[in-house]
Amino acid sequence: MANLIPLVVTNYNEILENVKDPMVDTWLLMGSPGPMLCIVGAYLLFVLKIGPKIMENRPAFQLTGLMIAYNAFQVIFSIWLTTLVWNIDVRRLIALNGCNVHHMKNSDKSLQVALSRGAWWYFFSKIIELLDTVFFVLRKKQNQVSFLHVYHHTITAVFSWCYLKLLPGEQGVILGFLNSLVHVFMYTYYLIAALGPRYRKYLWWKKYMTWIQLIQFGIMLGYLVLTLVMDCGMPKVLTYFFVTNVVIFIYLFSDFYRKAYKRKQA
């Protein structure tokens, strides 16, 4: 343990020196953790305490038009997020011989800016997605405000900020792309559901959404382990944190699938 702490500190300092874009500090919500923590704190307070109390003796809001518009926006926004990867020359991040990563200080400024901007838009998407739970509360669908749902939204919002501000690394390109791609399918499902009962026949693939999520996490875990085994030169402290959260998500989503579908079949 005595040797681990200096190693982590050294690794973190190298990350900041090689990868950190100083322009990030001037961007919206990135100057300090205060605004982000206030947003997440208000989110947790509303969805876990204030919201259910307010809605306790009120009829559920329908929000049909708003839900259609919101989910349509999320589909388009998620598609756009997946296209950001094409602004990054991936061959510069991972060379073909031996998985050697070109560190950011040896690459041009445009690549660094593209990575940082893509990470900010990804973080921004996680802030917007907090509305998912707010809409559940306003529509009195409290059964969908599960630990998995709240934890997932909270940790992704907080960590995406921390990633861009404190722990930038090349791993986020692949993980952000996969997550945004999955959200295209997820919000497409929600959009169809918001269109009303006539379209329920097109929602036969509901349980496969969890499969898609689990496949996503499986690919992420395989990719992260590969970068460690092949010593790709990526920040290890960041990789370990990614691995920990991916494993947690795999457990939580697997448990959800088992409770939601396996018990019904039994």
Side-chain angles (χ1 to χ4, degrees):
M1 178 63 71
N3 295 327
L4 179 61
I5 295 176
L7 178 63
V8 170
V9 172
T10 301
N11 184 233
Y12 176 65
N13 289 333
E14 288 178 355
I15 295 170
L16 292 183
E17 178 185 352
N18 296 339
V19 187
K20 184 82 162 62
D21 184 354
M23 280 294 293
V24 167
D25 296 341
T26 67
W27 294 350
L28 181 65
L29 302 178
M30 296 307 302
S32 74
M36 177 272 295
L37 291 177
C38 285
I39 291 172
V40 173
Y43 161 77
L44 291 173
L45 193 60
F46 179 82
V47 302
L48 298 178
K49 188 76 174 178
I50 297 177
K53 188 67 176 176
I54 292 175
M55 297 303 299
E56 186 176 10
N57 298 315
R58 294 170 179 262
F61 290 98
Q62 297 303 313
L63 305 179
T64 303
L66 178 59
M67 295 306 302
I68 292 173
Y70 172 75
N71 288 305
F73 166 80
Q74 288 287 20
V75 171
I76 296 170
F77 191 36
S78 297
I79 292 173
W80 179 75
L81 284 175
T82 64
T83 67
L84 293 183
V85 72
W86 308 120
N87 296 330
I88 299 169
D89 188 350
V90 178
R91 289 172 298 180
R92 273 195 189 154
L93 296 179
I94 303 178
L96 295 178
N97 58 340
C99 189
N100 296 316
V101 172
H102 294 276
H103 292 292
M104 290 295 296
K105 68 177 181 180
N106 297 322
S107 61
D108 59 61
K109 184 68 175 177
S110 63
L111 177 58
Q112 184 178 1
V113 171
L115 282 168
S116 297
R117 285 179 176 170
W120 186 87
W121 280 112
Y122 183 79
F123 158 66
F124 182 68
S125 75
K126 298 306 152 190
I127 294 298
I128 295 175
E129 287 166 14
L130 296 177
L131 289 172
D132 289 6
T133 327
V134 173
F135 292 145
F136 282 151
V137 173
L138 294 178
R139 296 164 65 209
K140 299 190 77 168
K141 295 185 178 293
Q142 204 64 29
N143 62 309
Q144 296 183 332
V145 185
S146 62
F147 172 79
L148 166 60
H149 180 90
V150 175
Y151 173 80
H152 179 69
H153 280 272
T154 302
I155 199 67
T156 52
V158 173
F159 180 64
S160 58
W161 185 93
C162 294
Y163 164 75
L164 178 56
K165 179 76 171 182
L166 305 172
L167 291 168
E170 297 92 329
Q171 303 96 310
V173 176
I174 301 298
L175 304 189
F177 171 78
L178 287 171
N179 187 246
S180 299
L181 183 61
V182 167
H183 280 201
V184 173
F185 293 100
M186 186 182 78
Y187 284 108
T188 297
Y189 174 88
Y190 289 148
L191 174 59
I192 296 172
L195 292 173
R198 287 190 305 170
Y199 296 89
R200 284 179 184 168
K201 61 184 177 181
Y202 300 114
L203 299 177
W204 54 268
W205 49 288
K206 178 180 179 180
K207 75 173 183 178
Y208 298 111
M209 274 306 308
T210 309
W211 285 20
I212 294 173
Q213 293 273 22
L214 287 170
I215 290 170
Q216 167 203 202
F217 294 132
I219 295 173
M220 287 180 177
L221 185 59
Y223 164 71
L224 292 169
V225 170
L226 191 63
T227 64
L228 290 173
V229 172
M230 298 185 68
D231 195 17
C232 289
M234 294 183 179
K236 288 185 173 57
V237 62
L238 179 59
T239 304
Y240 290 137
F241 188 87
F242 274 137
V243 167
T244 300
N245 273 281
V246 168
V247 170
I248 291 173
F249 286 146
I250 288 175
Y251 170 77
L252 290 175
F253 275 84
S254 297
D255 185 60
F256 167 78
Y257 183 84
R258 179 178 58 82
K259 291 177 179 177
Y261 301 110
K262 292 294 185 181
R263 287 184 178 179
K264 288 182 180 179
Q265 292 177 1

